[in-house]
Amino acid sequence: MTRRPLSHRSAAARALAAAALAVVGLLPLAGAPAQAAPPVSATPARGDDDHDFPRHELSPQLSAKLDKAVREAMKQLNLPGLQVGVWLPGKGSYVRAFGVADKKTGERMTDDMKIRIGSVTKTFTATALLELVDGGRVHLDDPVAKYVKGVPNGRNITLRHLLEMRSGLFPYSEDADFVKALLSNPQRAFTPQELLAYGYKHSNTSAPGTKFQYSNSNYVLLGLVVEKMTGKSLRDVVEHRILRPSHLDGTLFPKGAEFPRPHAHGYTNQTLSGKVADSTHWNPSWAWAAGAMISDLHDLKHWAKDLATGTLLSPATQKQRLKVLPTGITGASYGLGIFDVNGWIGHNGSLPGYENLTLYLPEQKATVIALLNTDILYKGGEPSTVVGRAITSVVTPKHVYTLSPAK
């Protein structure tokens, strides 16, 4: 989920918490519909479970309501482009692309364009770790010091604490020197050890297990644990043990700044000057296990279900994953690399230029995916949250995706 350090007001200082919990109150949608690209709704076959995602369109009445809500949200947020997918078993599907993928050329957004998915990456890193739990290679209550040396208070911080965001480790992405280093050279490649060193300069913020605090440091450490226990790169583990079994052919963990086409350009004001920049080819190594991956609308549709239902995990481990705890943010609880927001299970993601929601509602077996090509805040809040509320207010009014500011 996406939280930026809101105590800092400059664009640079509030930058780069790469998908922690959104701490934004939601505002009523208003204004005339934004001009949109012609909708594209064809969905390619992805596997034998497509019967759970009906291909026929939602009713014209419901589709019209969604069109209006989405366009109003786009106008309110001044979004360049947006992809939306909604799948409601028994009612149909809604797949649309709106606006532009490239503001310079005017290229229209389409529903097959890839984006950088930010902290939805955490769901893959957590799954890789939990597969090791299933294999008996690690245990949730092992101290991280058993696997990685030099972690402040690492003998008392467990893998479970890291997964739950309750380690007390300072988030490296909130360190001022890190922010300056990244924004001075967005093409720079960082190592996991370099990232962690920025956080280790600071004292831990709380005792392990006592307080929820979103920290990318937690997931960089989990990535290192996966690598140590498999003897392989995290990229290879995710590719062979998650992406292939889940048939996510359009998803990848990049080595550097590569970005397969077709992709949407991303726009951010997380720059040293505060001016809007095209961040499409910024190197996401600074987010690594916490936020570096790339995907598309149709892959995330399938991943949302696999993630929420535990397709790749044992029932016992999935049960552990879904034990969510309070976050201090009204309506939101967090488990082992997964959230529950008013019944919606999944994660959100944000990094400079991109945001997304990957959501599954077990009660109705419904799926909502939203992909944005900007992360520019709206009145201090994440634009993906406003889009999520607009969509779910129409399709699941008893389960509205909404996040309120932390107390």
Side-chain angles (χ1 to χ4, degrees):
M1 306 173 81
T2 305
R3 176 199 292 253
R4 307 179 198 213
L6 297 180
S7 59
H8 306 299
R9 302 319 307 166
S10 74
R14 67 172 170 75
L16 312 170
L21 280 162
V23 289
V24 18
L26 292 157
L27 302 166
L29 301 176
Q35 194 166 18
V40 180
S41 56
T43 303
R46 290 284 186 174
D48 295 335
D49 63 343
D50 268 358
H51 62 83
D52 289 323
F53 302 97
R55 298 176 187 225
H56 63 278
E57 288 278 332
L58 296 176
S59 69
Q61 295 82 4
L62 187 54
S63 292
K65 288 181 180 179
L66 275 171
D67 283 344
K68 181 180 179 182
V70 169
R71 288 170 175 161
E72 287 180 346
M74 287 192 71
K75 183 174 180 62
Q76 178 185 8
L77 299 167
N78 194 29
L79 296 183
L82 174 65
Q83 299 175 54
V84 176
V86 177
W87 293 268
L88 303 174
K91 294 184 179 180
S93 62
Y94 173 96
V95 179
R96 300 284 192 272
F98 301 85
V100 297
D102 186 335
K103 295 198 295 185
K104 184 176 181 180
T105 67
E107 180 184 6
R108 307 302 289 177
M109 183 73 83
T110 60
D111 74 353
D112 62 347
M113 287 185 166
K114 300 181 187 303
I115 72 156
R116 300 190 186 278
I117 62 173
S119 274
V120 172
T121 302
K122 291 182 174 71
T123 66
F124 292 94
T125 300
T127 299
L129 190 285
L130 292 173
E131 286 184 340
L132 293 177
V133 172
D134 272 342
R137 304 285 302 280
V138 305
H139 299 90
L140 286 172
D141 296 314
D142 287 344
V144 68
K146 180 177 179 180
Y147 306 103
V148 182
K149 296 180 180 179
V151 181
N153 201 24
R155 292 184 180 276
N156 295 309
I157 295 171
T158 67
L159 302 183
R160 188 190 301 272
H161 292 144
L162 297 174
L163 287 161
E164 292 175 336
M165 300 292 187
R166 292 175 179 270
S167 70
L169 291 169
F170 186 88
Y172 70 81
S173 49
E174 294 187 24
D175 175 76
D177 291 335
F178 164 76
V179 172
K180 182 178 180 180
L182 174 61
L183 297 185
S184 296
N185 180 14
Q187 281 72 43
R188 173 179 170 178
F190 290 87
T191 67
Q193 292 75 18
E194 287 172 334
L195 298 174
L196 290 169
Y198 286 109
Y200 291 171
K201 295 189 305 180
H202 303 265
S203 299
N204 289 9
T205 59
S206 62
T210 61
K211 181 181 178 182
F212 177 90
Q213 181 186 26
Y214 203 95
S215 173
N216 289 321
S217 300
N218 295 327
Y219 277 73
V220 170
L221 279 169
L222 289 169
L224 291 176
V225 173
V226 170
E227 291 195 332
K228 180 178 179 63
M229 297 310 296
T230 62
K232 299 178 180 179
S233 71
L234 179 62
R235 180 177 184 269
D236 285 346
V237 173
V238 169
E239 167 69 24
H240 293 283
R241 301 192 61 173
I242 301 176
L243 301 184
R244 290 186 183 180
S246 287
H247 306 290
L248 304 181
D249 301 327
T251 302
L252 72 149
F253 200 125
K255 291 182 179 179
E258 69 270 21
F259 201 168
R261 294 183 180 275
H263 61 246
H265 283 246
Y267 300 95
T268 187
N269 62 355
Q270 296 198 66
T271 58
L272 290 176
S273 67
K275 294 181 179 180
V276 176
D278 184 329
S279 58
T280 307
H281 300 294
W282 287 15
N283 191 328
S285 64
W286 69 268
W288 193 52
M293 289 179 66
I294 293 166
S295 191
D296 61 31
L297 182 73
H298 303 291
D299 270 14
L300 291 176
K301 172 191 75 171
H302 284 267
W303 180 239
K305 181 188 175 186
D306 285 354
L307 175 65
T309 61
T311 300
L312 300 181
L313 302 177
S314 70
T317 298
Q318 181 68 4
K319 185 177 180 180
Q320 290 289 312
R321 174 170 228 166
L322 295 178
K323 283 186 176 179
V324 294
L325 298 173
T327 62
I329 298 171
T330 302
S333 302
Y334 203 83
L336 305 183
I338 200 168
F339 69 54
D340 182 328
V341 177
N342 199 17
W344 286 100
I345 306 297
H347 219 287
N348 67 355
S350 177
L351 78 172
Y354 300 94
E355 293 204 347
N356 80 97
L357 299 175
T358 298
L359 308 173
Y360 184 81
L361 183 63
E363 181 181 300
Q364 298 181 27
K365 297 183 179 179
T367 306
V368 166
I369 308 295
L371 311 181
L372 294 68
N373 63 340
T374 186
D375 69 317
I376 296 174
L377 300 183
Y378 177 74
K379 296 187 176 181
E382 303 291 338
S384 62
T385 307
V386 179
V387 171
R389 181 174 183 176
I391 295 168
T392 56
S393 293
V394 172
V395 298
T396 56
K398 293 183 179 180
H399 296 276
V400 176
Y401 178 86
T402 182
L403 295 166
S404 299
K407 302 296 185 182

